[in-house]
Amino acid sequence: MAKPLLTAPAELDHFDLAILDILQRDNATPQRVIGEAVNLSAPAVQRRIKRMEESGVIQANVAVLDPARLGQPITILVEVEVESERIDLIDAAKKSFAAAPEVQQCYYVTGEADFMLVIIVASMAAYEGLTRRLFFANHNVKRFRTVVVMDRVKASLAIPLI
Amino acid sequence: MAKPLLTAPAELDHFDLAILDILQRDNATPQRVIGEAVNLSAPAVQRRIKRMEESGVIQANVAVLDPARLGQPITILVEVEVESERIDLIDAAKKSFAAAPEVQQCYYVTGEADFMLVIIVASMAAYEGLTRRLFFANHNVKRFRTVVVMDRVKASLAIPLI
DNA sequence: TGTCTTGCGCAAGTTTGTTGCATGAAGGAG
DNA sequence: CTCCTTCATGCAACAAACTTGCGCAAGACA
């Protein structure tokens, strides 16, 4: 009679996967249309979506904007190497990078570098200012390598759902 | 009397930016709530959103999913170096990378490497299979460097809107 | 076999999104 | 300086979508 855990695994069936596949392409798709696509009624679709939102499988529902149209045409990748891998210093670096709005993505990685950042800025001058705040101001940053993106060939967060 | 261009620049005012800032956090926010936040009526918000969707400022509306909960817990970054930078070969590589669903992001970059990929896979075995299809099968790929992500500190597509 | 649980579809109710219309501000031409 | 056109707004009505209660059927378990 024990209640299931709050974060129950809640395995996903093929209906759920089909719904997610639609939502991660266009989450404005009406539930009625989704229902027709997966052979389920609209309320059934709605309940499944709600469950997946509450369980965290669906993390967010967001609009994807065009950076170039918003005056932020430059994408930059940065490999960051730190001086010390002491856990508290690493955590501090993570928080610092994650808190910067210009940092779209931050990965803590194996290999020569320790962090890999994806950054969006309006200009190289803006990037220069950001390096001061993010890297030069952090004494644990040993060095960083800047790579400028010429073409944003593909940029999504979609996950292959088999 | 000439009609404005189809892709008119359509400059954005501070209302638009405020709306976008809300939408790129949560695009399920009711227009009424957005209206209250930006001091505009719901229909005004709706018309601005529609215009920005049509003009391409809003590129998509998507659900963000948790890769780990969907059996794809491994994120990998790959630097790819090509043999020849002949434009047709580069374009072919772009198409090939962009077509792979495991490739979340693909950047064509300056510097030593030519491409930087962000890849999501279920297992290292799956990644090994992907390298065969994506890199070993492409004779223009000179070499590639694999970096495994230990922590996905931050992963979004949000743009700083000042 | 009986019971419990779970998820479904249907239908009604509620919220949200959408459109027609009149008003007022901004810009240009006469 | 005034008229006229354009454009975006708010209000109100309408349409569409989301949400919930309910009865039912299928599977799990004793």
Side-chain angles (χ1 to χ4, degrees), chain B residues 98-120:
Chain B
E102 297 92 339
V103 176
Q104 250 189 9
Q105 297 164 50
C106 170
Y107 302 102
Y108 181 49
V109 301
T110 61
E112 292 176 28
D114 297 290
F115 290 96
M116 174 73 202
L117 308 181
V118 178
I119 291 178
I120 299 270

Side-chain angles (χ1 to χ4, degrees), chain A residues 78-80 106-117 145, chain B residues 74-80 113 115-121 124 127 131 135 143-151:
Chain A
V78 189
E79 282 183 14
V80 181
C106 170
Y107 302 103
Y108 180 50
V109 301
T110 63
E112 293 176 28
D114 297 290
F115 289 96
M116 174 72 203
L117 308 180
R145 188 164 73 93
Chain B
I74 301 178
T75 301
I76 289 174
L77 311 181
V78 190
E79 283 183 13
V80 181
F115 290 96
M116 174 73 202
L117 308 181
V118 178
I119 291 178
I120 299 270
V121 286
M124 289 311 288
Y127 176 62
T131 61
F135 308 136
R143 61 188 197 81
F144 62 96
R145 187 165 72 94
T146 298
V147 175
V148 177
V149 173
M150 291 185 285
D151 186 7

Side-chain angles (χ1 to χ4, degrees), chain A residues 33-91:
Chain A
V33 174
I34 298 174
E36 290 165 4
V38 304
N39 269 344
L40 229 45
S41 70
V45 171
Q46 129 80 10
R47 287 186 266 251
R48 283 168 178 268
I49 292 174
K50 188 183 177 193
R51 189 189 335 136
M52 292 190 285
E53 281 175 344
E54 289 172 347
S55 77
V57 173
I58 297 175
Q59 293 183 322
N61 288 287
V62 305
V64 180
L65 312 182
D66 183 344
R69 295 288 293 277
L70 289 160
Q72 319 257 350
I74 300 178
T75 301
I76 288 175
L77 312 181
V78 189
E79 282 183 14
V80 181
E81 198 175 329
V82 296
E83 204 77 59
S84 157
E85 298 217 44
R86 250 177 51 200
I87 189 66
D88 57 329
L89 295 177
I90 291 293
D91 283 344

